[in-house]
Amino acid sequence: VQLQACGGGLVQAGGSLRLSCAASGSIFRINVMGWYRQAPGKQRDLVATITKGGSTNHADSVKGRFTISRDNAKNTVYLQMNSLKPEDTTVYYCFAVILPMGSGWSDYWGQGTKVTVSS
């Protein structure tokens, strides 16, 4: 099982980016999916989560600007980021709670995708 994230890049303040993260492998079921972000030397902070049923949770710092969604048929989670600010600059990591075939529930992480917002 692996998660592959993409969609990061360089954007001007006020602009938008859409991150994607696809889970692949011998997957039986996926529960929660979401995004964290982590600046160098700092702890990893939750950005947003979404359950299999579509219930979402967004950090206060991104509410009204970022929207998490998922496509269960594609095992993919998205993060639409609008009105980006320079302080959103960091590496974004996707995660998923997955039940692989023949194994127990575990947390899986993507490789991280860098978002840079210029002022």
Side-chain angles (χ1 to χ4, degrees), residues 64-116:
R65 301 188 299 122
F66 293 9
T67 303
I68 190 170
S69 61
R70 67 190 279 177
D71 185 332
N72 291 328
K74 296 181 178 179
N75 290 338
T76 299
V77 61
Y78 306 96
L79 186 68
Q80 178 65 44
M81 304 186 295
N82 299 328
S83 302
L84 281 160
K85 304 175 181 180
E87 51 263 44
D88 295 318
T89 295
T90 189
V91 179
Y92 287 72
Y93 298 88
C94 61
F95 79 95
V97 181
I98 295 175
L99 181 65
M101 301 286 191
S103 185
W105 288 100
S106 292
D107 294 346
Y108 292 85
W109 290 86
Q111 82 283 11
T113 184
K114 181 68 183 283
V115 171
T116 302

Side-chain angles (χ1 to χ4, degrees), residues 14-67:
S16 299
L17 284 174
R18 189 192 195 206
L19 305 183
S20 300
C21 177
S24 61
S26 298
I27 297 170
F28 181 69
R29 190 172 296 167
I30 301 178
N31 193 351
V32 176
M33 303 183 82
W35 296 89
Y36 277 74
R37 61 187 181 184
Q38 184 173 25
K42 295 189 176 182
Q43 68 179 20
R44 193 169 288 190
D45 293 326
L46 177 68
V47 177
T49 61
I50 184 167
T51 67
K52 184 177 177 66
S55 296
T56 62
N57 178 50
H58 295 80
D60 288 342
S61 59
V62 305
K63 280 181 180 177
R65 301 188 299 122
F66 293 9
T67 303

